[in-house]
Amino acid sequence: MKYDLVLLHAPSVYDFRKNSLLAGPISDVVPSSPVFEMYPIGLTSIADYLERYGLRVKIINIANRMLMSETFDVEKKLRKVQTKAFGIDLHWLPHAHGSIELAKIVKAIHPETPIIFGGLSATYYHKELIEYPCIDFVMRGDSTEKLMLLLMNKLEAGNTHYADIPNLTWKKGSECGFNPITYVPKDLDDIDVPGYRYTIRSVFKYRNFLDPLPYNGWLQYPNTALLTARGCSQNCLICGGSREAYDQNCNRNSLALRSPKKLVEDIQFISRFSRAPIFILHDLRQGGREYVNEFFSRLKELNLKNEIVFELFQYADEEFFKQMNDSVPKYSIEITLETHDQNIRRYNGKFSCTNQKVIDTLNFALQNGCKKIDLFFMVGIPGQTYKSAVENIDFCETIHLACQHDPRIFYFVAPLAPFLDPASPAFEHPEIHGYKKLCHTLEDHRTAITQPSWKHMLSYETKDMTRDDIVNSTYEAAQKLNEFKLKYNLIDQAGYDDIKVKIEKSMEYIEKIDYLLSLPEDQQTGELAKIQREIEELNKYSICGKNELKWEVQKNYANFFSLALVGLEQLYEDYVNNFRHWLSPKRRKQFQLEPEQRKMKM
């Protein structure tokens, strides 16, 4: 089968199956493993949009296929692929190594096929990326669906005049072009992000359900997510998705919202094939009061069976939770509090209120039907000391007592790791915000992510904490949190013992790896290989229980008839769409951006 575009997702470190890397807790509080096999949702929106115009687009999650099988042969898989172009995401910077190594392999197998990079990190490092012989284009910005259609039309026509495609970095022979980012859409209503219709359709259309799986274990726990906005109203210092970061990196100075009507339609579609939780990305309140009211009003009409998980950036009053509880039969919330220190929170920008307001928010949620609250603390944020990082756990106890020992609150601690986000205020102005950057260029980060322990992967230190301090305070806080959970029966003895052993072994292996790195270089590889299996086990939820992040689900999927019907509907829509393009092929070839979409800030 020949495709127009094949989108590939690489592991963080390409040869992770051969190398021993103690990733520790860097992925404990995300759905994926330290391989970071979960691909950005933008891949599905690109695929969905291009297929509306009759193109054939396939997603292959190379990272997940490698993770699922030690014998999966990447090169053999890629040799069988026939496509007009490859796309590889470099959205999250931990993929700096794997994405480029995968591009080298693809180019060696398909030397004449263009390779296109995209994502927030690719946007930031586009000038470095285009210097690689294996990379032909970098599509920049946060919204590239329509721009990819323009580029695919050029490639199909053999037109090498790329200067008129907004946001594109390109090369032609020895010539490189850096087109300005002038395409910055104002809303998200004319695309599906994520493109779940595409995902369901592609399984039936391309007869392969393993290639597009979002992450390892998704079939057993098929939670989904919906994007409410691109851009952000908040300006958190350590976030590459902050207001300033979007302005600098993507030329976005205002939110692009998905309307409440479209969001609720997305939820309704997901509920037809899944009964697992649906995560609403970003705080709904960024859209304003009318936006929130319309969303909950429409949601209430669905009679939904899925649990909805909401994200909060700031204090919420009781009325907000009453409205939430009235609109859905089951909901949970996630809060990244980062620290107990309210002065540091005000400085950093996340939950910039008093501790009493934090406790009030939690109690309002618990008193109004909230099923679960995930509360996250971090190590390595601006202004934090070793002592302050460990004292986060004291605040966990304060919260627990103030919330009447409610077991619905789940507490987590994790380091800011492995990297500072490029374009974040902390990355751009490290001295002002108390950071010492250890990695600057893309190559710096590529080298760092391949280091044998997460201590040596860290791309920063702070004025108050060295790498050793960040690692040690993380493990000390994690063990103190483990003891707190056992004291209040939030975990059982077996769970406590499991985490305690993993923390102790992790600290032991940090020291062991430090010693091995002091050996002559020719001895290091062999010695590290001897401890590979033990390290792989430690990398699996090293400082928290593996099920703590999950929401209780009675049933993962809708019934078989509903699943089959959704699949058939998507195939029929695809057939009609392709037939329409066969009758009128000029529709795609004459596609242009609407005039108002070219009038954004230069």
Side-chain angles (χ1 to χ4, degrees):
M1 185 178 293
K2 188 161 185 177
Y3 306 99
D4 293 287
L5 177 66
V6 171
L7 298 168
L8 305 175
H9 179 66
S12 54
V13 176
Y14 177 72
D15 42 6
F16 71 92
R17 293 183 295 189
K18 298 177 182 177
N19 286 357
S20 307
L21 304 176
L22 180 58
I26 65 174
S27 66
D28 271 17
V29 293
V30 294
S32 58
S33 72
V35 174
F36 291 99
E37 76 276 10
M38 185 172 68
Y39 55 78
I41 58 179
L43 292 190
T44 63
S45 61
I46 291 170
D48 181 78
Y49 192 80
L50 295 186
E51 290 216 337
R52 292 184 200 176
Y53 284 83
L55 279 76
R56 300 172 69 85
V57 184
K58 182 175 176 63
I59 294 174
I60 306 176
N61 189 344
I62 295 292
N64 194 44
R65 295 302 308 268
M66 294 174 75
L67 194 61
M68 292 173 70
S69 171
E70 291 185 2
T71 60
F72 176 75
D73 190 327
V74 176
E75 294 184 27
K76 181 180 178 181
K77 177 77 172 179
L78 293 173
R79 285 192 193 97
K80 294 179 180 178
V81 174
Q82 296 182 18
T83 184
K84 295 173 184 174
F86 287 96
I88 299 176
D89 68 272
L90 178 50
H91 186 64
W92 298 297
L93 196 51
H95 290 97
H97 181 271
S99 61
I100 293 172
E101 295 306 304
L102 182 59
K104 291 176 183 177
I105 294 168
V106 172
K107 187 59 81 174
I109 297 171
H110 301 282
E112 303 303 318
T113 306
I115 296 178
I116 309 158
F117 265 56
L120 289 185
S121 293
T123 296
Y124 189 87
Y125 285 113
H126 69 108
K127 290 185 178 179
E128 289 186 49
L129 286 169
I130 204 66
E131 294 295 326
Y132 285 93
C134 58
I135 298 172
D136 302 287
F137 302 97
V138 182
M139 191 63 81
R140 294 159 20 238
D142 60 24
S143 302
T144 60
E145 294 83 2
K146 294 182 180 182
L147 305 181
M148 284 297 294
L149 180 57
L150 291 175
L151 180 57
M152 293 304 298
N153 284 345
K154 293 261 190 186
L155 295 176
E156 184 176 303
N159 184 344
T160 59
H161 178 71
Y162 305 120
D164 58 348
I165 299 179
N167 305 24
L168 182 65
T169 295
W170 51 272
K171 68 184 172 196
K172 187 167 53 176
S174 60
E175 179 187 6
C176 288
F178 309 101
N179 302 347
I181 296 180
T182 57
Y183 174 66
V184 189
K186 293 180 179 179
D187 63 61
L188 302 181
D189 274 6
D190 53 356
I191 59 171
D192 283 349
V193 55
Y196 286 117
R197 289 170 179 80
Y198 161 81
T199 306
I200 296 292
R201 180 173 67 248
S202 71
V203 170
F204 292 88
K205 182 177 179 179
Y206 303 130
R207 298 184 293 279
N208 189 317
F209 73 91
L210 292 179
D211 285 345
L213 286 177
Y215 55 85
N216 195 25
W218 188 86
L219 287 173
Q220 291 74 39
Y221 193 72
N223 61 336
T224 52
L226 290 172
L227 189 65
T228 59
R230 283 175 173 158
C232 191
S233 62
Q234 309 295 299
N235 199 39
C236 303
L237 298 179
I238 57 174
C239 183
S242 66
R243 185 176 66 247
E244 280 186 21
Y246 265 104
D247 190 21
Q248 176 190 323
N249 202 28
C250 301
N251 205 10
R252 176 173 295 287
N253 55 15
S254 62
L255 286 174
L257 289 162
R258 189 154 177 82
S259 69
K261 180 177 183 292
K262 286 287 187 179
L263 270 177
V264 173
E265 287 175 1
D266 295 337
I267 291 171
Q268 186 173 28
F269 179 76
I270 291 170
S271 70
R272 294 185 60 198
F273 67 84
S274 171
R275 293 289 180 265
I278 301 171
F279 194 104
I280 305 298
L281 296 169
H282 305 322
D283 195 321
L284 279 172
R285 295 171 297 169
Q286 289 190 118
R289 183 176 294 276
E290 289 185 10
Y291 183 94
V292 171
N293 290 342
E294 182 183 348
F295 174 80
F296 283 128
S297 176
R298 290 179 178 275
L299 190 61
K300 186 176 180 178
E301 296 173 1
L302 287 189
N303 192 26
L304 196 65
K305 294 183 174 63
N306 304 65
E307 180 173 2
I308 305 292
V309 183
F310 296 97
E311 193 173 9
L312 297 185
F313 291 164
Q314 300 290 349
Y315 162 81
D317 61 20
E318 186 167 19
E319 192 59 37
F320 181 68
F321 292 108
K322 285 181 177 178
Q323 191 175 20
M324 202 178 281
N325 192 36
D326 188 49
S327 303
V328 289
K330 184 187 290 188
Y331 76 93
S332 294
I333 61 172
E334 290 208 341
I335 297 173
T336 303
L337 197 59
E338 294 180 351
T339 174
H340 71 284
D341 190 321
Q342 54 199 34
N343 292 323
I344 294 178
R345 287 204 307 272
R346 288 194 186 98
Y347 181 71
N348 193 37
K350 184 68 70 70
F351 249 81
S352 52
C353 61
T354 65
N355 285 342
Q356 185 56 53
K357 287 280 191 181
V358 170
I359 291 170
D360 289 345
T361 299
L362 299 174
N363 272 320
F364 290 151
L366 294 169
Q367 292 161 12
N368 287 279
C370 186
K371 302 298 181 185
K372 184 175 188 281
I373 299 174
D374 288 337
L375 199 57
F376 300 94
F377 292 88
M378 296 187 74
V379 177
I381 61 176
Q384 188 180 58
T385 63
Y386 189 117
K387 182 173 179 286
S388 177
V390 176
E391 285 175 347
N392 280 331
I393 314 308
D394 296 330
F395 189 48
C396 292
E397 186 164 22
T398 299
I399 289 171
H400 193 66
L401 296 176
C403 293
Q404 296 76 48
H405 298 231
D406 201 305
R408 288 176 289 172
I409 304 180
F410 288 72
Y411 304 86
F412 301 90
V413 62
L416 173 59
F419 302 146
L420 284 178
D421 284 354
S424 68
F427 189 90
E428 298 304 311
H429 311 288
E431 297 85 3
I432 293 174
H433 300 302
Y435 280 99
K436 176 185 177 183
K437 274 201 312 191
L438 305 175
C439 295
H440 301 265
T441 66
L442 184 61
E443 277 302 314
D444 291 341
H445 291 91
R446 277 170 50 76
T447 300
I449 198 66
T450 62
Q451 296 307 299
S453 81
W454 72 274
K455 168 185 164 181
H456 296 281
M457 294 178 195
L458 287 174
S459 70
Y460 71 93
E461 292 181 333
T462 75
K463 68 179 180 63
D464 298 296
M465 288 201 282
T466 64
R467 277 174 164 170
D468 282 309
D469 291 334
I470 293 166
V471 169
N472 292 335
S473 62
T474 295
Y475 285 128
E476 185 174 335
Q479 180 52 30
K480 190 173 180 179
L481 181 61
N482 199 34
E483 291 166 359
F484 155 74
K485 290 177 180 178
L486 181 66
K487 176 181 177 181
Y488 290 102
N489 297 314
L490 299 176
I491 55 174
D492 59 20
Q493 186 67 47
Y496 168 84
D497 291 341
D498 179 55
I499 296 301
K500 184 173 186 291
V501 168
K502 283 187 174 182
I503 290 171
E504 290 171 350
K505 283 189 174 180
S506 293
M507 296 181 72
E508 175 187 330
Y509 276 96
I510 288 282
E511 291 183 9
K512 191 168 189 176
I513 289 170
D514 283 350
Y515 166 72
L516 293 179
L517 290 177
S518 71
L519 298 175
E521 194 169 331
D522 59 346
Q523 296 180 31
Q524 291 178 16
T525 303
E527 292 299 319
L528 287 168
K530 293 177 183 178
I531 59 174
Q532 182 172 353
R533 286 296 177 188
E534 294 93 326
I535 285 176
E536 287 176 1
E537 284 303 310
L538 290 177
N539 283 339
K540 298 174 182 177
Y541 298 96
S542 62
I543 60 174
C544 70
K546 66 179 182 178
N547 292 318
E548 286 188 75
L549 268 174
K550 293 181 178 179
W551 297 274
E552 186 178 341
V553 179
Q554 301 297 327
K555 183 180 180 182
N556 284 333
Y557 298 98
N559 60 62
F560 176 79
F561 175 77
S562 181
L563 280 167
L565 184 61
V566 170
L568 289 172
E569 283 177 1
Q570 295 310 305
L571 283 177
Y572 175 73
E573 286 181 18
D574 187 62
Y575 172 79
V576 171
N577 199 40
N578 288 333
F579 184 69
R580 184 168 63 248
H581 286 289
W582 178 76
L583 289 175
S584 181
K586 290 183 179 180
R587 180 171 176 261
R588 171 163 68 90
K589 294 177 181 178
Q590 294 176 350
F591 172 83
Q592 295 292 329
L593 297 176
E594 295 84 348
E596 64 270 16
Q597 292 177 328
R598 293 180 173 274
K599 294 179 182 178
M600 303 300 164
K601 172 187 166 188
M602 295 291 289

